[in-house]
């Protein structure tokens, strides 16, 4: 039974609908929010310093050598800066493009694995609407780039196993190793996590009649392709005049520090993969229950092995973060889409009785969420006109997508996508009025201060990186607040509120004022300027002077 709209979609129509939907929800108002804080702004600053210093081999953060990550993500971001200029859109562009490439790849792979464009469409939609995937598609991190290359590697290996002749098998194996190398250029040795998935498949085939499918010697012979993406950077780094300094910093640094409980991923994976989690559970159940009839579904076995082995590896690592789950979202979406097609065909009446009410509930929740950006603008006294324009455009796109829905099962996930988009739009409006770093930068700019006139306590302060992103120039810094306050060239000094007031009280500094922003961030202006109300939120308080 085919579940279509009043006007059935062809394969080309499904692809066009999906690509248009994905582009809209990923790129719409992508620059509406200010850069995220925490580690996100550090990534943006590393890429910006590539552009400022012109050094593409040795990365820098705050003018100091940065060794936490390989350079590919930062190269892509720096390239986006060259085309689009330094700003939130350019900083998010690599992840957004990786997200788009990932969902289109899943569409095509799902279509090929299961001989159904509708299943491929559902797989892409499940991936795009999964909570963690969508959130990181519009962030300044690097995890979706890594998961894209990781997925390309394992899919290339699978297609290599199935290639009918040795030449094509060699090409697919080269693609496997090359994609693994690209993943390594994003997250270093973590890319080798493809091997625990590959090795059991190769060993399992060696003792069987179809052991020739593995061609282990050919797989080993093509392994030098792993180093092709790495060699140009490695040579540039080895010949860099600061290479010894790089090695010393690398020896001292501790990169992965996030820890979680033993059952961390048993909770994180189902919640972060929602709303497709129930369909994945159905897929696992169907495979186990009907494994005799599904014995010939080697693609399904491969996907489940990918999910199981990778989750097992993550489970036994001491460092845990829900972002590390993203490499299994691709196979999980494919299994979930297969399950949806499988049960929809076997029990169409029961399927419709479940999906119909769920679709109506989510539809009306999403319809109400179009008021969220406006409510945020009114609450925070933000730009109401902008909120109305964003909500109206998103609502029009939503109604158009729903009107041309290619299958009823997709309705829930299309609605979820726009629900997530509305939350993002509201966050962008809120950040305009509540972001303390943005408010600080606007206050500095309102007084006409150049980057060289503003000093920051702490050379690794996030406020300094945000100001560098805002100004496209790195401001000066010092670890000792006294050094900044005694510098006559500085017109403003940024530090913690208590530390700043205490230092000014001890020095008895003449003139100027202290303006406090949210969460105890403050700036001392040597000369009176515009009232802090012009600079954004953060109640100004008179300091020593």
């Amino acid at each position: 039974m085919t579940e279509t709209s009043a006007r059935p979609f062809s394969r080309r129509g499904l692809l066009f609908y999906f690509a248009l939907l994905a582009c809209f929800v990923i790129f719409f108002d992508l620059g509406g929010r200010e850069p995220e804080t925490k580690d996100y702004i550090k990534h943006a600053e590393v890429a910006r310093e590539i552009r400022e210093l012109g050094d593409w081999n040795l990365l820098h953060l705050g003018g100091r050598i940065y060794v936490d990550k390989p350079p590919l993500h930062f190269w892509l971001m720096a390239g986006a800066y060259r085309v689009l200029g330094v700003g939130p859109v350019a900083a998010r562009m690599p992840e957004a493009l990786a997200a788009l490439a990932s969902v289109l790849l899943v569409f095509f792979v799902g279509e090929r694995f299961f001989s159904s464009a509708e299943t491929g469409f559902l797989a892409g939609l499940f991936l795009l609407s999964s909570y963690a995937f969508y959130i990181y598609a519009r962030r300044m991190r690097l995890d979706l780039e890594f998961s894209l290359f990781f997925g390309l590697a394992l899919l290339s290996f699978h297609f290599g196993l199935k290639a009918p002749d040795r030449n094509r098998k060699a090409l697919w194996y080269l693609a496997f190793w090359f994609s693994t190398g690209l993943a390594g250029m994003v997250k270093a040795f973590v890319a080798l996590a493809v091997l625990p998935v590959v090795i059991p498949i190769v060993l399992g085939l060696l003792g069987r009649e179809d052991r020739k499918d593995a061609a282990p010697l050919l797989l080993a012979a093509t392994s030098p392709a792993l180093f092709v993406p790495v060699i140009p950077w490695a040579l540039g780094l080895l010949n860099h005049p600061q290479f010894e300094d790089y090695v010393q910093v690398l020896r001292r640094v501790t990169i992965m520090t996030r820890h979680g409980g033993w059952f961390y991923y048993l909770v994180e994976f189902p919640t972060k993969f929602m709303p497709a989690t129930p369909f994945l559970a159905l897929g696992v159940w169907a495979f186990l229950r009907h494994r005799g009839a599904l014995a010939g579904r080697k693609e399904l076995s491969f996907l489940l092995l990918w999910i199981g082995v990778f989750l097992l590896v993550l489970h036994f690592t001491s460092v845990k973060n829900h972002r590390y789950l993203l490499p299994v979202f691709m196979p999980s979406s494919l299994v979930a889409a297969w399950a949806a097609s499988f049960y929809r065909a076997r029990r169409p009446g029961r399927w419709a009785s479940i999906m119909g009410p769920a679709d109506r509930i989510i539809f009306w929740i999403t319809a109400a969420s179009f008021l969220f950006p406006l409510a945020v603008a009114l609450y925070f006294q933000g730009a109401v006109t902008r909120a109305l324009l964003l909500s109206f455009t998103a609502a029009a796109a939503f109604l158009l997508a729903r009107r041309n829905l290619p299958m009823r099962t997709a309705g829930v996930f299309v609605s979820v996508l726009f629900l997530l988009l509305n939350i993002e739009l509201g966050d962008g409006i809120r950040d305009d009025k509540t972001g303390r770093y943005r408010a600080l930068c606007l206050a500095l700019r309102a007084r006409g201060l150049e980057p060289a006139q503003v000093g920051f306590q702490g050379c690794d302060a996030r406020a300094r990186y945000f100001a560098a992103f805002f100004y496209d120039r790195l401001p000066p810094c010092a670890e000792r607040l006294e050094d900044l306050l005694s510098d006559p060239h500085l017109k403003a000094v940024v530090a913690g509120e208590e530390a700043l007031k205490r230092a000014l009280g001890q020095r008895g500094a003449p003139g100027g004022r202290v303006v406090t922003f949210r969460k105890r961030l403050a700036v001392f202006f040597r000369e009176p300027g515009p009232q802090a109300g012009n600079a954004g939120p953060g109640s100004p308080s008179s300091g020593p002077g």
Side-chain angles (χ1 to χ4, degrees):
M1 177 179 177
T2 302
E3 212 183 319
T4 61
S5 61
R7 294 175 295 171
F9 276 49
S10 64
R11 184 258 184 191
R12 184 177 298 179
L14 276 173
L15 178 59
F16 179 76
Y17 176 96
F18 179 68
L20 204 61
L21 175 68
C23 286
F24 182 84
V25 297
I26 291 174
F27 295 103
F28 180 65
D29 198 43
L30 188 62
R33 288 183 301 104
E34 288 301 313
E36 299 88 30
T37 55
K38 300 182 181 179
D39 289 342
Y40 300 72
I41 191 63
K42 291 184 177 182
H43 289 185
E45 176 57 17
V46 170
R48 196 201 62 77
E49 290 185 38
I50 291 177
R51 183 172 176 268
E52 181 177 341
L53 301 175
D55 191 341
W56 292 75
N57 290 311
L58 190 65
L59 303 179
H60 294 82
L61 174 62
R64 296 178 293 186
I65 295 174
Y66 178 81
V67 299
D68 288 19
K69 297 288 188 297
L72 183 54
H73 168 69
F74 307 105
W75 288 350
L76 295 173
M77 194 181 285
Y81 288 161
R82 282 193 171 184
V83 176
L84 302 172
V86 175
V89 173
R92 297 187 181 110
M93 190 57 65
E95 283 292 90
L97 291 175
L100 180 62
S102 297
V103 296
L104 291 175
L105 174 65
V106 165
F107 181 104
F108 292 121
V109 171
E111 180 185 26
R112 179 166 176 174
F113 273 13
F114 306 115
S115 303
S116 168
E118 288 188 352
T119 304
F121 169 79
L122 283 178
L125 190 58
F126 286 2
L127 178 60
L128 182 59
S129 61
S130 58
Y131 174 75
F133 184 91
Y134 180 80
I135 291 300
Y136 286 109
R138 295 171 62 92
R139 294 295 187 273
M140 299 190 304
R141 292 207 63 94
L142 46 74
D143 300 274
L144 289 189
E145 294 155 59
F146 174 77
S147 65
L148 171 63
F149 296 134
F150 192 94
L152 278 171
L154 286 176
L155 290 170
S156 297
F157 168 74
H158 177 78
F159 289 132
L161 286 177
K162 304 304 175 186
D165 58 73
R166 192 171 180 83
N167 289 335
R168 275 183 277 189
K169 191 180 293 290
L171 289 175
W172 280 117
Y173 282 169
L174 286 170
F176 161 69
W177 290 113
F178 185 77
S179 298
T180 303
L182 288 175
M185 286 293 287
V186 178
K187 277 199 171 184
F189 298 108
V190 180
L192 296 179
V194 297
L195 297 181
V197 181
V198 168
I199 290 172
I201 296 176
V202 174
L203 293 178
L205 289 172
L206 290 183
R208 296 169 52 179
E209 293 181 0
D210 54 355
R211 60 184 178 276
K212 292 182 180 179
D213 288 348
L217 293 179
L218 182 60
L219 181 64
T222 54
S223 61
L226 172 70
F227 303 101
V228 172
V230 182
I231 287 173
W233 174 56
L235 291 176
L237 196 59
L238 285 169
N239 293 314
H240 198 283
Q242 291 183 281
F243 176 69
E244 291 298 328
D245 297 331
Y246 175 88
V247 173
Q248 293 300 321
V249 174
L250 187 61
R251 287 174 177 171
R252 294 193 304 266
V253 73
T254 301
I255 298 173
M256 301 178 73
T257 58
R258 297 179 178 88
H259 298 275
W262 180 252
F263 299 107
Y264 177 85
Y265 290 115
L266 293 180
V267 176
E268 289 296 312
F269 180 49
T271 54
K272 296 301 186 293
F273 190 59
M274 288 293 289
T277 303
F279 296 86
L280 174 61
L282 279 176
V284 175
W285 169 254
F287 181 79
L288 294 175
R289 185 176 182 182
H290 305 283
R291 57 185 177 276
L294 298 172
R297 286 280 191 182
K298 294 184 178 180
E299 293 84 3
L300 199 57
S301 301
F302 166 70
L303 294 171
L304 290 170
L305 180 67
W306 176 351
I307 296 168
V309 170
F310 192 83
L311 288 177
L312 190 64
V313 170
L314 283 182
H315 184 72
F316 283 100
T317 56
S318 60
V319 180
K320 292 178 169 60
N321 191 295
H322 68 267
R323 292 183 283 106
Y324 304 158
L325 289 164
L326 287 170
V328 296
F329 277 33
M330 189 179 292
S332 298
S333 300
L334 289 163
V335 173
W338 168 81
S341 299
F342 181 80
Y343 280 105
R344 192 183 66 199
R346 288 174 67 91
R347 299 180 180 179
R350 188 171 181 181
W351 185 264
S353 68
I354 295 173
M355 295 304 297
D359 184 22
R360 287 191 290 273
I361 292 170
I362 300 298
F363 175 88
W364 288 112
I365 293 174
T366 302
S369 74
F370 287 101
L371 297 175
F372 180 65
L374 179 60
V376 171
L378 292 172
Y379 182 81
F380 290 105
Q381 299 180 351
V384 174
T385 302
R386 176 172 177 265
L388 284 172
L389 181 61
L390 291 174
S391 294
F392 177 81
T393 305
F398 174 64
L399 292 176
L400 188 63
R402 292 288 311 200
R403 179 180 177 86
N404 294 281
L405 199 67
M407 60 179 70
R408 297 185 187 94
T409 301
V412 170
F413 300 92
V414 171
S415 296
V416 167
L417 273 175
F418 280 90
L419 175 62
L420 294 172
L421 178 61
N422 287 331
I423 295 172
E424 284 279 297
L425 297 178
D427 279 347
I429 294 169
R430 183 192 64 182
D431 286 349
D432 284 345
K433 301 299 293 183
T434 64
R436 55 173 174 158
Y437 298 140
R438 172 181 169 80
L440 167 66
C441 293
L442 290 176
L444 297 174
R445 181 169 289 181
R447 288 164 170 81
L449 298 180
E450 296 297 324
Q453 297 176 306
V454 184
F456 286 77
Q457 182 189 21
C459 293
D460 193 34
R462 289 172 183 164
R464 183 178 179 236
Y465 299 144
F466 201 103
F469 188 83
F470 194 81
Y471 275 117
D472 193 13
R473 188 63 56 86
L474 192 65
C477 68
E479 297 302 329
R480 292 180 66 251
L481 189 52
E482 279 294 325
D483 294 340
L484 296 172
L485 293 172
S486 60
D487 188 342
H489 299 98
L490 297 179
K491 304 297 184 183
V493 175
V494 181
E497 179 185 9
E498 293 302 321
L500 190 56
K501 290 184 176 181
R502 184 168 56 251
L504 289 171
Q506 292 172 355
R507 298 177 81 251
R513 59 182 282 127
V514 174
V515 176
T516 304
F517 299 88
R518 294 177 65 245
K519 296 184 180 179
R520 300 179 297 280
L521 178 68
V523 55
F524 171 65
F525 293 103
R526 291 190 187 277
E527 298 174 357
Q531 293 298 314
N534 297 330
S539 306
S541 59
S542 298

